[in-house]
Amino acid sequence: MPDSSSLPRQWPLIVLLLVLLGCGFLATSLASYYAALDSIRAGIIHTELPLTSDNVYSEIQKDLVRPILISSMMSRDTFMRDWVMDGEQDAKQVVRYLREVQEHYATVTSFFVSEKTHTYYQAKGVLKKVEKDQSRDDWYFRVRDMQAPYEINVDIDMANSDRMTVFINYKVFDYQQRFIGATGVGLTVDAVVKLIDTYQQRYNRSVFLVDTEGRLVLTGSSGGPLGARVGQSLNEIAGLEELMVKLPQPQSGDFEYQEQGRGHFLNVRFIPELNWYLFVDTHEDGAVAGIRQSLYINLLICLVITALIITLVNVALRRYQRRISALATTDQLTELPNRRGFNLLANQAMQEARRNQSALCVLMLDLDNFKQLNDSQGHMAGDEMLRRFASHLRNTVRKSDIICRWGGEEFILLLKDTTPEQARELAEKIIQQTEQSSIRFNDVDLQITTSIGLAHLQADESLEQVITRADRALYRAKQSGRNRLCEETA
Ligand SMILES: Nc1nc2c(ncn2[C@@H]2O[C@H](COP(=O)(O)OP(=O)(O)OP(=O)(O)O)[C@@H](O)[C@H]2O)c(=O)[nH]1
């Protein structure tokens, strides 16, 4: 007999469980997410980017340092120095030398500019004379005056249809260390850009080179970071500007910066041979997307488990609540409703009777001399008698009627939609059948009789009042000799 009014009482427990499970799952999922994030971040910063940087650096060394070595070798070449010191007699000789270098080392240009004559010799022949007031020749006068033995200069090459070229400009000295000119080779920028594109594709990172002033000198074909162009200062690149405020000049190290809420990891390494900085940049999206997806899957699994646990707990609680409620309202010996159960059912029946203005009768039954039976045949025999009598009552009345073990050997019947005549008839039948039947227990035939008090519900009468009147009638039945029906009129 479920007590539905008590069901909502389980909600605080369910909500508490939900909060505990939710918090627990959320805390563990987030803790593992952030731990994974940290380890991925540490992996990118301390392992992946430096490794990529090492690889790119060695590729750059292989691809760009080679022309530097060639230029260095040219600057120390005794033939060239002797030829210059001998007065630059036969231009064909030096042109042949330069052509040999260009063809043998597969560079796009090779050159020598004499300090004495300002003649620009190139692999194809004598190109021109450099002039101080020509801005295109600025590079030569800069190289002449610089302290370093060489420079790398990205410029257009007159000898090659003005193609952008990376020149390695090396100073040449005679044997007394007097400056006698500048020599070197050039690579097309296209070739270097292709190299950077290859690095970017191979390592799936953004690769670019920056000079010591923080200007982009070389990028892949798709441009620099965040679409920046060669020549732009890093300070002008939205996203990097914050980082460059902290580092007014590039410097080697591992850095992190934000670009429109997107985290970037950056590894910077100085390449002394080029006097440039190699920047290897990656954003966190690719790396973090995987673990973010695992977080969502984790949370989904946690949600499903939480829903499953809550459903199971809810079902179990309801079942136990029904069991407890049934135990609290049922008599264990006869399995009839006890007084608590009766009150719940009887109040409903009373309301129905009042609403429908139907007749309702109460029969109060008490087994006669039950103590004697207990005393003579034992308590177990008494119990068996109570069980049989209850079962007999259950089989005698309609399903809609309410039977209850009122206490001890006392029972109550609430007969719905029943007139006093019909109730009287039923009571007489019960008395007669009880008297005429016997039960066998431990090879002994046991018999019992019952006394009944009857009361008919009056208008404006409460349940307690009608029961009290039935009880009074029962008392009279006992007093007047038992095994009979007495009726209490209003
Ligand atoms: N075996 C058994 N006895 C019970 C149970 N509940 C009450 N009794 C006994 O029922 C007996 C009732 O005795 P009384 O109240 O004197 O009533 P009675 O002997 O039936 O006499 P009258 O009612 O006057 O006819 C008591 O001895 C109780 O101990 C029960 O569950 N099992």
Side-chain angles (χ1 to χ4, degrees):
M1 196 175 307
D3 181 0
S4 58
S5 65
S6 65
L7 286 179
R9 263 185 261 148
Q10 70 201 32
W11 285 112
L13 177 69
I14 300 274
V15 170
L16 182 70
L17 204 63
L18 195 71
V19 170
L20 285 177
L21 282 172
C23 290
F25 280 141
L26 204 67
T28 49
S29 299
L30 286 179
S32 51
Y33 169 71
Y34 283 112
L37 206 63
D38 274 356
S39 100
I40 282 197
R41 188 169 279 149
I44 290 175
I45 293 175
H46 302 304
T47 312
E48 284 182 34
L49 284 186
L51 251 168
T52 310
S53 175
D54 283 352
N55 287 335
V56 175
Y57 175 56
S58 57
E59 302 257 11
I60 286 178
Q61 269 192 322
K62 208 172 65 200
D63 295 322
L64 275 182
V65 172
R66 196 165 140 271
I68 297 174
L69 288 175
I70 297 165
S71 304
S72 164
M73 188 198 70
M74 289 165 76
S75 75
R76 308 293 299 173
D77 193 290
T78 53
F79 157 72
M80 185 145 75
R81 291 196 286 172
D82 289 345
W83 179 81
V84 174
M85 281 151 57
D86 286 349
E88 303 171 37
Q89 296 296 323
D90 186 1
K92 278 187 196 143
Q93 286 182 342
V94 81
V95 167
R96 195 184 311 127
Y97 167 79
L98 293 171
R99 194 167 54 239
E100 276 296 308
V101 169
Q102 180 176 320
E103 284 173 7
H104 184 73
Y105 295 112
T107 60
V108 288
T109 184
S110 64
F111 61 90
F112 171 73
V113 178
S114 162
E115 170 63 6
K116 191 170 170 195
T117 62
H118 283 186
T119 310
Y120 191 127
Y121 300 97
Q122 207 265 343
K124 289 178 188 160
V126 176
L127 190 65
K128 61 174 218 161
K129 286 203 182 284
V130 292
E131 290 170 32
K132 213 163 182 172
D133 51 2
Q134 284 285 321
S135 61
R136 294 185 76 159
D137 298 335
D138 283 353
W139 69 271
Y140 175 75
F141 300 99
R142 185 179 64 241
V143 168
R144 189 179 68 178
D145 297 337
M146 74 185 181
Q147 292 296 313
Y150 73 94
E151 68 157 23
I152 296 168
N153 185 31
V154 181
D155 210 341
I156 52 174
D157 183 7
M158 262 180 77
N160 280 298
S161 325
D162 284 355
R163 280 164 80 183
M164 277 306 262
T165 306
V166 181
F167 291 98
I168 289 96
N169 299 321
Y170 241 98
K171 288 169 96 167
V172 185
F173 298 95
D174 67 9
Y175 302 110
Q176 279 79 44
Q177 296 305 308
R178 285 182 300 240
F179 178 74
I180 57 168
T183 190
V185 292
L187 299 175
T188 57
V189 169
D190 295 353
V192 181
V193 167
K194 265 194 202 125
L195 280 179
I196 292 182
D197 280 345
T198 314
Y199 307 151
Q200 296 195 136
Q201 275 165 16
R202 192 177 302 159
Y203 302 114
N204 195 22
R205 308 271 183 254
S206 243
V207 175
F208 47 98
L209 290 153
V210 174
D211 69 14
T212 48
E213 300 303 313
R215 254 169 230 293
L216 271 181
V217 274
L218 280 177
T219 69
S221 54
S222 55
L226 317 170
R229 293 176 317 278
V230 167
Q232 249 185 306
S233 166
L234 295 181
N235 290 314
E236 300 163 21
I237 302 169
L240 268 176
E241 61 198 347
E242 252 181 62
L243 180 69
M244 295 316 291
V245 166
K246 286 186 226 153
L247 312 171
Q249 304 243 299
Q251 47 182 271
S252 299
D254 300 310
F255 306 99
E256 283 185 58
Y257 67 92
Q258 294 286 321
E259 171 244 329
Q260 292 178 345
R262 192 164 75 151
H264 276 257
F265 305 108
L266 179 67
N267 179 277
V268 181
R269 157 199 282 258
F270 183 63
I271 303 182
E273 298 90 335
L274 302 177
N275 204 30
W276 287 344
Y277 287 88
L278 167 65
F279 279 54
V280 180
D281 181 300
T282 188
H283 53 78
E284 63 180 14
D285 285 8
V288 170
I291 54 167
R292 195 166 290 150
Q293 203 180 356
S294 335
L295 172 73
Y296 295 147
I297 292 172
N298 262 0
L299 288 177
L300 193 74
I301 292 171
C302 294
L303 204 73
V304 170
I305 292 175
T306 305
L308 216 69
I309 291 175
I310 294 293
T311 310
L312 287 176
V313 167
N314 194 23
V315 167
L317 275 177
R318 278 170 186 269
R319 192 170 291 170
Y320 281 118
Q321 216 160 21
R322 268 196 290 272
R323 285 261 294 276
I324 290 165
S325 169
L327 281 174
T329 54
T330 308
D331 171 54
Q332 296 303 295
L333 182 70
T334 60
E335 292 178 0
L336 290 179
N338 59 16
R339 270 199 199 202
R340 196 160 180 262
F342 175 81
N343 284 337
L344 291 169
L345 298 169
N347 280 323
Q348 268 178 359
M350 286 283 288
Q351 280 170 12
E352 273 172 37
R354 296 224 183 285
R355 200 168 44 244
N356 304 335
Q357 294 186 328
S358 56
L360 193 136
C361 286
V362 176
L363 294 185
M364 201 69 155
L365 305 91
D366 190 291
L367 298 181
D368 298 328
N369 300 316
F370 190 67
K371 187 174 180 317
Q372 269 178 29
L373 177 80
N374 263 341
D375 293 348
S376 60
Q377 303 300 325
H379 219 259
M380 301 298 276
D383 281 356
E384 186 58 23
M385 180 60 81
L386 287 171
R387 258 194 298 267
R388 293 285 186 92
F389 183 71
S391 152
H392 171 66
L393 279 184
R394 206 184 282 120
N395 295 333
T396 308
V397 299
R398 298 167 302 180
K399 278 229 162 7
S400 58
D401 295 330
I402 299 164
I403 324 173
C404 154
R405 185 178 177 200
W406 196 242
E409 80 296 11
E410 234 180 332
F411 296 84
I412 190 166
L413 278 179
L414 200 67
L415 307 172
K416 291 184 189 172
D417 213 4
T418 306
T419 60
E421 291 73 34
Q422 291 168 321
R424 208 173 295 131
E425 212 174 296
L426 177 70
E428 294 292 0
K429 186 175 150 194
I430 292 170
I431 290 170
Q432 202 182 3
Q433 286 178 347
T434 308
E435 188 184 14
Q436 287 169 0
S437 59
S438 64
I439 65 162
R440 193 153 182 85
F441 187 80
N442 282 349
D443 295 334
V444 180
D445 284 327
L446 306 176
Q447 273 194 303
I448 198 100
T449 59
T450 183
S451 302
I452 301 179
L454 186 156
H456 171 227
L457 179 71
Q458 304 298 308
D460 298 331
E461 197 177 24
S462 71
L463 182 66
E464 288 74 27
Q465 286 169 327
V466 69
I467 290 174
T468 307
R469 286 198 299 113
D471 205 31
R472 268 206 305 268
L474 172 65
Y475 179 76
R476 281 199 285 111
K478 289 279 181 186
Q479 292 303 306
S480 52
R482 298 184 174 83
N483 193 22
R484 68 194 60 212
L485 169 72
C486 277
E487 193 172 339
E488 178 86 358
T489 47

